[in-house]
Amino acid sequence: MAVIAALPETEEGRRRLALTGPVDNEPLGEIVVATADDVRAAVDRARAAQPAWAARPVRERARIVARALDVLVRRRAEVIDTLHAETGKPPVEALTMEIVPSCDFLNYWTALAPRALRAERRALHGYLRPSKKLVVAYRPLGVVGVITPWNGPFVLALNPLVQALLAGNAVVLKPSEVAPRSGEWAVRILREAGVPADVVAVVHGDGQTGAALVDAGVDKISFTGSVATGRVIGAACGAALIPCTLELGGKDAMIVCADADLEEAAAGAVYLSMFNCGQVCLSVERVYVVDSVADAFEARVAEIAAAVRHRSVAGPGAEVDMGPFTSERQRAIVRRHLDDARARGATVLVGGGENGGGGLHFTPTVLTGVTHDMAVMTEETFGPIVAIERVRDEDEAIRLANDSPYGLSGSVFTADPARMREIAARLVTGSVVHNDAAVVYGVPEAPFGGRRSSGLGRVNGGREGLRGFTHAQPLLLARRLGRGQTIRYPYTDAQEKQLDRLVRVGFGRRILRRLLA
């Protein structure tokens, strides 16, 4: 939203927020902020409804959730319209970032769930094998609270909702107050598919509402958002001894090696820094290019960036490649970073932040001559700036890439996959992408999460992603009824000799250790 303004309270004393769109400052209605009592009531209803949902076989839950894909395909135009109104995303960007991945997630998770969530037998090792059998069952946690951001309001809500529901949980979603209807679409689609209303619910509001959800007695929190808020949520979950996943900010570095395809690298640097107006936790925020190819790289980046269509130049009604900022607060941060870079000697090759009239539009910008004493290279910018720093070699690029409090993802552009792997092994980051960036979240098989200040825990990751919304309950079964345990009172000399022989012979002789492993 361009502006969120407080309105007079309702007759029941609930706060109201007026919403204004970022494209042309058009009014978009209002939301009524859920109170702490409202949130707790939603969680209580979810807890009452959850056992019946969990009692359904996984295949039945998967069939119901899978119907959401048909609903989404049928209603995609409405979702896209809402996304455009609330975030300014052009239709292609809404499809690329929100709709296509959401379709893929629904298709993937519902197909995987029956296999990933069934109880599995695991082989035991060594001396345990003759007397015990191990089965691991995956039990729902109960009620999961999901708190989502404004930059990917639909897909970042739908993905965790689907995983949590398939695992047998009930879910309460608190979408960003900046894009509330876009997030709410995820709940609407799942309900239309047949998920019971109290099993998947939405509460609207700001940070106070999110805090109320964390404190409402849920069994897990899935949060995507800022580092500052993530720290608060992590502390609250730690105090309550409940699990959480925290997907936080990033300052992702792109390394351009001397052997890189410069055309592909330049096109990638522009797009991967600017799509969604740069408002993506995985977007490229720093580019380190080896000096021997830097002149050609910078020149091509400038050409590509200058051709990006945006409202600041094109004017109302024209087709654009890049939409506006979603909030004025974010645009102010980017202006500050740009002003700081200029003051410290950076060169503006393209753009510079000029605003062409109404809305929250911004000019795609290319900076060269940046250094690590500039905010644009050390703080999360979240805006459409390609910030390029020249380096002597790949070693210097790695050192600078690691010189950050963040560690979400990174990318390496090189013609040599082996070189990419070598560089990736030295990067302190949650993931590394070869000749691309930002796509790793859209790969559900890949465990996704950050290091350092970029988060805690992992989401996605195939089976592990679904199982992250469960309690893995080991069932240790006796192989022979009545003889499940080998030690009983009273202790005897024979028991002592038997155990001592196991240590002396079984573990004391290296050749036998392998048989017990």
Side-chain angles (χ1 to χ4, degrees):
M1 296 295 134
V3 177
I4 302 176
L7 294 172
E9 294 182 349
T10 66
E11 293 182 1
E12 297 81 13
R14 288 175 171 80
R15 292 185 296 127
R16 298 158 61 216
L17 299 176
L19 309 175
T20 303
V23 177
D24 292 304
N25 297 324
E26 71 277 12
L28 295 178
E30 65 178 65
I31 59 171
V32 177
V33 175
T35 66
D37 289 341
D38 296 332
V39 174
R40 188 168 292 276
V43 171
D44 289 345
R45 290 191 298 270
R47 192 167 300 284
Q50 185 268 335
W53 176 250
R56 301 180 189 231
V58 178
R59 288 191 180 277
E60 182 180 343
R61 296 198 299 264
R63 281 196 298 269
I64 294 170
V65 175
R67 292 201 292 262
L69 181 52
D70 296 320
V71 179
L72 175 54
V73 171
R74 185 174 67 251
R75 306 196 69 175
R76 66 190 184 280
E78 298 170 81
V79 180
I80 290 170
D81 287 346
T82 304
L83 286 164
H84 178 70
E86 290 193 330
T87 70
K89 285 180 171 65
V92 171
E93 205 155 78
L95 283 161
T96 300
M97 183 176 175
E98 306 266 6
I99 304 301
V100 171
S102 294
C103 290
D104 190 46
F105 285 142
L106 278 165
N107 195 46
Y108 175 81
W109 294 121
T110 54
L112 179 65
R115 290 175 282 125
L117 296 172
R118 66 181 171 218
E120 62 177 354
R121 183 169 172 175
R122 297 187 184 179
L124 289 174
H125 74 285
Y127 77 97
L128 295 172
R129 193 180 301 124
S131 61
K132 304 293 183 184
K133 293 185 291 186
L134 175 62
V135 174
V136 178
Y138 296 95
R139 312 296 191 195
L141 295 172
V143 180
V144 175
V146 176
I147 303 174
T148 54
W150 45 261
N151 60 321
F154 179 70
V155 68
L156 295 179
L158 186 75
N159 191 32
L161 288 182
V162 166
Q163 294 178 58
L165 289 169
L166 289 171
N169 302 286
V171 191
V172 178
L173 168 70
K174 205 296 282 186
S176 170
E177 70 276 19
V178 175
R181 306 304 179 201
S182 297
E184 185 180 15
W185 263 115
V187 172
R188 293 174 61 185
I189 285 171
L190 288 162
R191 285 181 172 177
E192 190 171 332
V195 179
D198 289 338
V199 171
V200 58
V202 61
V203 291
H204 286 299
D206 51 17
Q208 293 181 35
T209 311
L213 180 57
V214 174
D215 294 335
V218 296
D219 300 291
K220 179 175 180 172
I221 287 289
S222 172
F223 172 75
T224 305
S226 71
V227 175
T229 302
R231 291 184 188 279
V232 174
I233 290 175
C237 290
L241 294 179
I242 62 170
C244 62
T245 55
L246 307 174
E247 197 274 278
L248 310 178
K251 193 69 183 172
D252 289 4
M254 170 179 169
I255 295 175
V256 182
C257 300
D259 68 340
D261 180 331
L262 293 187
E263 181 64 27
E264 180 63 24
V270 174
Y271 179 74
L272 298 166
S273 298
M274 295 183 180
F275 81 102
N276 204 40
C277 200
Q279 299 167 121
V280 180
C281 60
L282 285 166
S283 64
V284 170
E285 296 231 343
R286 299 174 288 156
V287 179
Y288 300 106
V289 55
V290 172
D291 190 66
S292 61
V293 296
D295 286 343
F297 175 77
E298 290 177 353
R300 188 62 183 129
V301 166
E303 291 174 355
I304 296 171
V308 174
R309 297 173 298 177
H310 53 97
R311 171 72 173 276
S312 304
V313 172
E319 280 193 39
V320 298
D321 300 311
M322 192 185 84
F325 281 106
T326 302
S327 73
E328 175 56 47
R329 178 177 177 274
Q330 191 56 46
R331 185 168 66 170
I333 291 172
V334 176
R335 285 191 179 280
R336 176 174 63 81
H337 285 194
L338 184 57
D339 291 343
D340 173 76
R342 281 170 164 156
R344 295 177 184 272
T347 299
V348 178
L349 291 186
V350 175
E354 300 84 356
N355 182 25
L360 296 180
H361 302 279
F362 201 84
T363 303
T365 299
V366 177
L367 291 178
T368 59
V370 296
T371 58
H372 271 224
D373 64 346
M374 301 176 185
V376 76
M377 296 299 279
T378 56
E379 302 175 18
E380 188 174 34
T381 302
F382 231 54
I385 295 179
V386 184
I388 304 171
E389 182 167 355
R390 297 184 178 214
V391 293
R392 290 187 306 275
D393 51 29
E394 293 159 6
D395 287 339
E396 185 180 19
I398 294 167
R399 179 181 65 78
L400 291 171
N402 288 334
D403 181 22
S404 173
Y406 297 98
L408 189 56
S409 190
S411 58
V412 180
F413 280 71
T414 173
D416 184 357
R419 178 176 286 123
M420 179 271 184
R421 292 190 184 95
E422 292 169 2
I423 293 173
R426 298 169 61 190
L427 292 175
V428 184
T429 186
S431 57
V432 184
V433 182
H434 183 212
N435 292 346
D436 205 345
V439 296
V440 66
Y441 182 83
V443 179
E445 296 90 344
F448 175 74
R451 301 180 65 181
R452 295 174 169 169
S453 294
S454 286
L456 180 68
R458 293 292 183 269
V459 299
N460 295 341
R463 293 172 183 266
E464 290 75 17
L466 290 170
R467 292 172 180 177
F469 288 96
T470 69
H471 165 67
Q473 183 184 56
L475 310 176
L476 198 58
L477 307 174
R479 282 191 177 275
R480 290 171 290 178
L481 295 181
R483 299 189 64 181
Q485 297 208 24
T486 57
I487 301 298
R488 289 287 190 271
Y489 289 130
Y491 295 146
T492 66
D493 289 342
Q495 289 173 348
E496 181 179 348
K497 290 178 181 178
Q498 180 184 9
L499 293 170
D500 185 70
R501 185 173 185 275
L502 172 64
V503 174
R504 177 172 50 82
V505 178
F507 294 107
R509 297 181 181 178
R510 292 186 180 182
I511 193 170
L512 294 181
R513 291 176 191 174
R514 296 181 182 178
L515 298 177
L516 295 176

